[in-house]
Amino acid sequence: MTSRRPLSRQLALLTTAVAALAVLLAAAVSIGLVRGAASAQAQRTLARQADGYAALLDRPARRAQATRLGTLLRRQGLELVTVTEQGQALGPDRALLPADLAATVASGTEVSTVVRERRTRRFVEGRPVEGGGGIVLLETADTADPLTTSLRWRLAIALAIGLAGAAGAGLLLGRRLARPLQAAARTAGELSAGNRDVRVIPEGPAEVAAVTEALSALASALSRSEQRQREFLLSVSHELRTPLTAVRGSAEAIADGVVDGDEARDAARVAVAESDRLERLVRDLLDLARLGAEDFRLDIAPVDLVELVEAAASTWRRRCGPVGVDLRLELPGSPVVVAADAGRVRQILDGLTENALRVTPAGAPIVFAVRLAAPAAVLEVRDGGPGLTEDDLTVAFERSALYERYRGRRRVGTGLGLALVAGLADRLGGTATAGHAPEGGAAFTVRLPLA
């Protein structure tokens, strides 16, 4: 299993890296701005000093003081160079002044510039003086640099404090995010172990809380699903037990000689009828199980619903006639062709008709209807039975929902037929809905895509 770093550590590292980058960028920008402002201020200060010293040494009698003045200025980190009328630089620091600048000052032009020599940068302020020649003040840029060693240490300390704070904040944030996620992981583990009574209290940011809420909803959905499965298995086992008991009882009566003659034939007919019922139940169960499988077979081809319904009606009339139910057709005068599996569409129609025939009393009708409702075709089975309530319509296609409601009150089937109808309609790309019929009973409508 691949080793993974905890979320809190990853967030701490990430926030520290981001903070370090932000601090370094801010420091770089700030240092540049501070140095730029300091340089401009140093240049202006040097210019004012140059103006003052030029006024002080504007007379030849006072130029002798330049040597002593230069010594004083050197102690302040400044260099003083005097320039003769011929452009010759004088003084101990004359080598620092480029010849072209000396000539410029000697010509009577002020100089304000920055001279770069290798790694050294100097501010230069030159002023002509009365009577010819001039003076030039020079200051090394490092002297004006406000970022002294102590200030650099302060910046380094501030940077370290910022990084430590970012790391701490990242660690706290990571733990705050990780705690609900760890709780969700524990809950998921309990769910996988079969415990459905676990819940997670939503906490943390909205996205993390949404994960925990979804996990709690999943636990509730699993609990409901398993409860339905248990109820379904109980109802199916009951339905299996009833025909098996009848078949066993009839077979034992014949085998033990308890019945003979006509009674034996009656017992055999009961066994056959219950066997048929058992076979239908098993077939419905298998079809429902296969509906969700990828290999569920469908042979999609053009199917004329009018022709299919007419063929089915000829079969169902033989079953409706003996019980006094009138089977009616409402069909258009032209074919209605859908893209579907003819066998599965017939299975849907037979399932709905069997349900209708079971509850429709003698003298009431069952109606097969086909109509166009582009982009779909509508296949409808209506009956004149007792119908369904509004609450029944919302659960009509759930497995065994109507079976549990009406068992013992009216004739019911296996409880799987309508669920199978809805599943088949969905696999064919259509829909199944339930409603009220104008004949007084229930109406089941299946919509299928046109070919």
Side-chain angles (χ1 to χ4, degrees):
M1 182 177 178
T2 304
S3 176
R4 294 182 175 88
R5 293 180 178 177
L7 177 62
S8 57
R9 185 182 301 173
Q10 292 187 43
L11 282 176
L13 292 174
L14 178 62
T15 52
T16 302
V18 172
L21 180 61
V23 169
L24 290 175
L25 289 175
V29 172
S30 299
I31 289 173
L33 292 175
V34 169
R35 279 181 170 168
S39 296
Q41 181 61 36
Q43 188 90 37
R44 288 194 295 271
T45 301
L46 190 65
R48 287 196 295 271
Q49 288 176 310
D51 291 338
Y53 294 137
L56 179 65
L57 303 175
D58 61 349
R59 297 177 185 176
R62 297 179 179 176
R63 292 180 190 175
Q65 302 174 1
T67 302
R68 188 172 58 181
L69 182 60
T71 303
L72 295 174
L73 291 176
R74 196 173 295 111
R75 294 174 184 174
Q76 301 176 24
L78 303 177
E79 292 86 20
L80 174 64
V81 178
T82 58
V83 180
T84 65
E85 297 177 7
Q86 293 76 25
Q88 181 181 3
L90 302 176
D93 302 314
R94 60 183 181 275
L96 302 178
L97 180 64
D100 59 333
L101 294 182
T104 302
V105 173
S107 67
T109 304
E110 293 185 357
V111 171
S112 180
T113 186
V114 178
V115 175
R116 289 176 174 82
E117 180 182 349
R118 296 181 181 178
R119 296 184 179 179
T120 304
R121 204 163 53 96
R122 289 185 177 86
F123 304 124
V124 178
E125 292 292 334
R127 299 291 184 272
V129 296
E130 185 178 348
I135 66 164
V136 178
L137 285 181
L138 299 96
E139 183 180 15
T140 303
D142 291 341
T143 306
D145 191 351
L147 296 177
T148 61
T149 302
S150 61
L151 183 56
R152 287 190 177 92
W153 272 110
R154 292 192 186 103
L155 286 175
I157 293 171
L159 175 61
I161 293 173
L163 291 179
L171 192 60
L172 292 175
L173 176 62
R175 288 179 177 175
R176 183 170 181 264
L177 290 176
R179 186 171 57 250
L181 291 177
Q182 290 168 348
R186 288 193 297 270
T187 301
E190 293 184 25
L191 286 175
S192 66
N195 186 3
R196 301 293 182 257
D197 296 328
V198 293
R199 296 294 181 271
V200 187
I201 300 175
E203 58 178 330
E207 294 80 2
V208 177
V211 172
T212 58
E213 289 172 354
L215 195 59
S216 296
L218 175 61
S220 300
L222 285 173
S223 180
R224 290 193 300 270
S225 176
E226 290 178 355
Q227 180 63 27
R228 288 179 181 176
Q229 289 179 8
R230 285 191 292 269
E231 293 173 354
F232 175 67
L233 289 174
L234 287 173
S235 65
V236 168
S237 64
H238 174 77
E239 287 300 310
L240 289 172
R241 191 180 298 112
T242 301
L244 284 173
T245 301
V247 170
R248 182 182 180 88
S250 300
E252 287 178 348
I254 296 173
D256 295 341
V258 176
V259 294
D260 55 9
D262 291 340
E263 291 181 349
R265 283 191 291 273
D266 290 340
R269 280 193 290 271
V270 170
V272 170
E274 292 300 322
S275 297
D276 290 340
R277 180 183 175 191
L278 185 60
E279 182 183 4
R280 287 196 304 273
L281 177 60
V282 172
R283 185 178 64 247
D284 288 349
L285 283 172
L286 289 175
D287 282 339
L288 274 176
R290 290 170 183 160
L291 272 177
E294 292 295 331
D295 59 350
F296 183 75
R297 183 176 178 81
L298 288 174
D299 296 321
I300 303 297
V303 178
D304 183 3
L305 284 184
V306 175
E307 181 181 342
L308 185 144
V309 168
E310 288 176 340
S314 63
T315 300
W316 280 100
R317 278 197 177 98
R318 289 193 290 270
R319 292 186 58 182
C320 292
V323 295
V325 173
D326 181 22
L327 180 60
R328 303 174 186 171
L329 300 181
E330 294 180 2
L331 305 176
S334 58
V336 177
V337 182
V338 296
D341 184 320
R344 297 300 181 182
V345 176
R346 178 62 187 267
Q347 187 177 355
I348 290 173
L349 181 59
D350 289 345
L352 293 175
T353 308
E354 189 169 349
N355 269 0
L357 185 58
R358 190 181 300 115
V359 297
T360 302
I366 290 178
V367 180
F368 291 171
V370 174
R371 64 179 183 274
L372 277 172
V378 174
L379 171 63
E380 194 172 56
V381 176
R382 307 194 303 266
D383 63 66
L388 301 173
T389 65
E390 293 296 331
D391 190 35
D392 292 338
L393 298 180
T394 62
V395 297
F397 296 103
E398 294 183 12
R399 288 182 302 186
S400 302
L402 297 183
Y403 173 88
E404 294 295 337
R405 291 187 180 189
Y406 292 106
R407 184 173 58 179
R409 296 166 53 190
R410 65 172 73 163
R411 291 183 63 191
V412 292
T414 62
L416 307 176
L418 290 178
L420 185 57
V421 165
L424 287 172
D426 182 67
R427 288 303 296 260
L428 291 171
T431 58
T433 55
H436 303 293
E439 291 77 14
F444 293 94
T445 303
V446 176
R447 288 176 171 80
L448 297 172
L450 292 170

